[in-house]
Amino acid sequence: MNPTTHCLECNAPLTTAETQGLCARCLLKMGFASQLAGGSSLPASPGNSGPPPMMPFSFGDYRIERLLGKGGMGAVYEAEDTASGRRVALKALGHSLDSPDTRKRFLREGRLAASINHPNTVYVYGTEEIEGAPVITMELIPGGTLQERVKEGGPMPVSAAVDAILQIIAGLEAAHAVGILHRDIKPSNCFIDPSGMVKVGDFGLSISTTSRGDSALTMAGSVLGTPEFSSPEQLRGEALDLRADIYSVGMTLYYLLTGQTAFRGENVVQLLATVLDKAAPSPRAVRPEIPEFLARIILRCLEKQSGDRPKNYDELRAALLPFTSTAPTPATLALRLVAGVVDQIILIGMRIIGAMLMFGGFEAMTRAAAMRSPGWFWLSLGLLFFEIAYFSVSEGRWGATPGKALVGLRVGGLDRNAPGIPRALLRALIYLVPTMVAFLRFDATGAPSESMVWDFVRGIALWLFPALLALTARRHNGFATVIDLLTKTRVIQKSDFESRESFAQIDEPVATTETMPQFGPFHALATLSSDDQGELVLGYDTKLMRRVWIRKVAADTAPVAAALRNAARPSRLRWLQGSREGADAWDAFESAPGTPLNTLLATPQPWKNVRHWLLDLSAEFAAATRDGSLPATLALDRVWITASGGAKLLDFRAPGAEVAVEPLAGTEGSAFLNQLAISALEGRVATAEEGRTSHPRRPVALRARGLLRVLREAGDFTALAGQLRALVQQRPAISRRRRLGLILGCTVPSLVIAALLLLGLNLSAKWQKKDPDVMRLKTALINHARMEKGEFVSPEIDPAAALPPLEIYIAGRYANVLATDVWSSPYVVSALSRSERKRAVEIYARHRDPSPEAMAAARTALGRAVDANGELDLAPHFKNFEKVNQVIRWPMAMGGFLWAAFLSVAAALFFRGGVLMRALGIAVVTRDGSDASRGRMLWRACLAWSWLPLGAAAVAMLVPANPVNFAVWLVANIVLGAVGWSAALPDRSLPDRLAGTWLVPR
């Protein structure tokens, strides 16, 4: 039988390589058709009796290996580029779908996808026509899709599913940054590479938000997207924004966690009606172990109205971060103490407000508190229930009280979800045991016990109980207290996720294509740089409408190694294609927007940026060491910082890198990383020898400082990348909120103390003016007690003889205090001690209502101790109390500040910082990153509190006003303004600038 010379399907002439009776294009069609039909059969045609299409077969310059899957417009094959040896995913337009409109839409998919270059998106190498069939060549990702993973292994663990979604979000953010909405996010369009990274692919339904005309390129009569994963507004054909993709992301997460979508129907019509009309059921109905808070996030993404969904990817990411696989940072006991103090300040304020409302004003509240009236019992009981609700509702519902939220802490169960009301209620009840025990002191009438022993025991309990709760806290158990262990909860620090800083792209010159050559499919635009190793040209791919870098090399230059041709790492440039034919030997690489590293070295770079560069390069060194693609030469001018803040290792000098730097051998990766760290952090170009022998000397977080000091000795790049990845998850610098917390932590307690003292002194002055006999009574009682002991006597008075007349004098002279409502006033309770009040009651009981004759005899017996006005005049006395009060009120009010200043200065001198600094995780270092000395810390503390004497002088001297007082007041306000300005500074406060210190995380 004569061999077949023409295609059995299209009658096209066959080449000698095509021996199956079908041309390559029809073989692609058959593969696509068999995938659609679930089988493999040839179409009915005259003489068609051959076997089904067999793979592999050749198609242009590609060897088709196997069918990977199908999309709405074509089939995807695993193929090998026979010219370069690179393995790719080749997407071909379905033969039966080929038409001018679908072809245009198919090529537009490739162009849109090619405009995105991000580690979490599938990279497009190119588009072309082979034997009349349009194809898109993409990065091959052999790990399958998220849908396949769920089908094979069932619903994913919560942390793994959230990790995957966060990577999808990163890819979609990159697409949105260049104006692209995906519109078809679903598990089958999310691919897993061998390292476990998830990449978004299949931009077949994407639209450009900058060119709405593209949205018309849809197939007539078709539903855009997959109904199960499409937003209601997309199904209705309305205008879309990124919240439509957020809906699809939420549904994808729903699928990853449950193995099914939220909506199902027997047919498309029923499915569409369900998606448009019914609320999504909670994923917990399918899988109860899903954290409730995570379920609420998913349901929020699936809201019918786009305005009810997260407004952007940052908001969605922040909500999902607590559920990632990254180990949470336990909250230290010091931070929990600070949060507790803040909560107590809030509760004290609420107690005062509640008491004032109940008793009808501050003075009435003070009287009730002083006398411990029965009403005080009911108020205390109500406030106890309020405290229980304060902790249980805030922690159970939102995972944090206001105090914890302020310092960045969160309470969660072992599943990292908010603990829920029942467990939070148990936490509150355990924490408030001392407060509840205090109610044992009230008797049946609601009056409190006056036992000093009870007060002592209660005071000890209030101090010892928190310490007892903390006995179990250890670093290895996440500082779990007794409360945490009993309730199976943990207190953790909120994630410090911080996106990479963006960098502007260097200005690339553009010239007309008429005067520049063409390299394969790429048109040259301009020369970027030239050196002895070759010339770097800016090129343009007219099909994908994107720029490329073309490196012209000598004709005898060896081709790019296979490992580099197949490299698809974000820290290495992707090789696109090349040629060694004739005089124009060249290689084309992706063009990554950004800037060369050494242009950034004129100024010091912050650690928050440098840590990402070190992580990227250490991960690249680890991968390149495994596959043998490590460059022979490492140099700072061969590092490219992308616009998204990543670092790429180049095999040639970066464009725009005009400063030549001393290179290191490719085997000296650790020294090179150290050289880069020194150069970037110190803002200069470090020598190769410094990279081998020195270390960076700049203020960085203490944990980072430890790693940087041994960076040049790192031998295992995989382990180093792991350490750097952990540092990336931690705070790179002290935030404004934490720095402001340090200032407020020092001043607010003092301010509260000062305000309370001033209020007390003002009330005392008011009460003294209203009832001046109270302090005179106190004088008499003090003298009575001293006379009983023989410790205080006048030379002219016999104590034994004078004691009875003094009691008669007290009972008669101060009856207006002892026998009236004044005795129950808060003034008497606050002015007289418990023993003095008891003594006065006993004296009045023995000598109630003395006669005028007895009073005259008593005055005569006391002699000169009674003045001409009939007032007792024995030291100590309070006759000038009002004047004394006026003199001491401001010094007393400043006492809280003076005490705080003293503690701060002492802590700076002896401990290089105070308890509050350690609680907030703050360390103080100098310019070279070393710990600040005690002397420098002392100077810094003095500067930080320098406003105190000026402020005190200004406040004390406001009345009367004069030019001098005004000047002092002005200076004080300038200083206080500087304190506020220091809190708002992005990096350093005024005292730090003057003392030459930096605040860094511990």
Side-chain angles (χ1 to χ4, degrees), residues 720-805:
L720 176 61
Q723 292 176 283
L724 287 165
R725 195 168 287 110
L727 288 177
V728 166
Q729 301 298 325
Q730 298 167 0
R731 294 191 315 273
I734 299 300
S735 64
R736 293 187 184 186
R737 183 178 67 175
R738 200 163 291 248
R739 200 174 332 106
L740 183 60
L742 179 61
I743 295 175
L744 295 180
C746 292
T747 56
V748 169
S750 302
L751 185 62
V752 172
I753 294 172
L756 291 177
L757 284 172
L758 280 176
L759 182 60
L761 290 171
N762 286 335
L763 284 175
S764 295
K766 177 181 177 182
W767 290 335
Q768 167 65 12
K769 186 175 182 179
K770 180 180 179 181
D771 298 303
D773 286 342
V774 173
M775 297 309 294
R776 296 190 180 110
L777 172 60
K778 184 176 183 69
T779 298
L781 293 172
I782 291 174
N783 282 284
H784 183 275
R786 291 186 173 182
M787 284 184 179
E788 278 188 333
K789 299 177 182 178
E791 294 178 355
F792 177 80
V793 292
S794 172
E796 304 173 358
I797 299 177
D798 179 9
L803 203 55

Side-chain angles (χ1 to χ4, degrees), residues 950 953-954 957-958 961-974:
L950 291 175
M957 299 174 66
L958 279 177
N962 57 58
V964 175
N965 292 346
F966 178 80
V968 174
W969 177 83
L970 181 62
V971 172
N973 277 273
I974 292 174

Side-chain angles (χ1 to χ4, degrees), residues 232 235-236 263 269-280 304:
L235 296 178
R236 289 192 294 263
F263 303 109
V269 175
Q270 187 180 38
L271 175 61
L272 291 177
T274 304
V275 173
L276 293 173
D277 297 333
K278 291 189 177 180
K304 302 299 182 187

Side-chain angles (χ1 to χ4, degrees), residues 16 19 158 188 193 205 220 279 329 355 453 566 575 601 613 625 692 723 736 759 800 831 834 894 980:
T16 56
T19 59
V158 170
S188 61
D193 76 0
L205 294 181
T329 303
V453 174
N566 289 288
W575 179 84
L601 301 183
W613 304 343
T625 301
R692 299 184 185 101
Q723 292 176 283
R736 293 187 184 186
L759 182 60
R834 182 179 300 174
M894 298 305 296

Side-chain angles (χ1 to χ4, degrees), residues 309-389:
R309 301 172 201 150
K311 62 179 180 295
N312 53 43
Y313 291 119
D314 281 338
E315 182 180 338
L316 179 56
R317 179 190 292 106
L320 293 175
L321 280 174
F323 306 100
T324 65
S325 60
T326 304
T329 303
T332 62
L333 293 179
L335 270 179
R336 296 175 69 167
L337 175 62
V338 173
V341 170
V342 174
D343 284 326
Q344 288 304 320
I345 290 175
I346 294 173
L347 289 172
I348 288 172
M350 297 302 296
R351 292 187 195 111
I352 293 175
I353 293 173
M356 291 175 63
L357 292 175
M358 180 173 181
F359 292 106
F362 186 80
E363 187 170 348
M365 176 201 73
T366 309
R367 180 181 292 110
M371 298 306 298
R372 293 291 194 265
S373 66
W376 193 259
F377 168 80
W378 296 108
L379 174 66
S380 300
L381 185 61
L383 290 174
L384 173 62
F385 282 110
F386 173 79
E387 288 188 41
I388 293 174

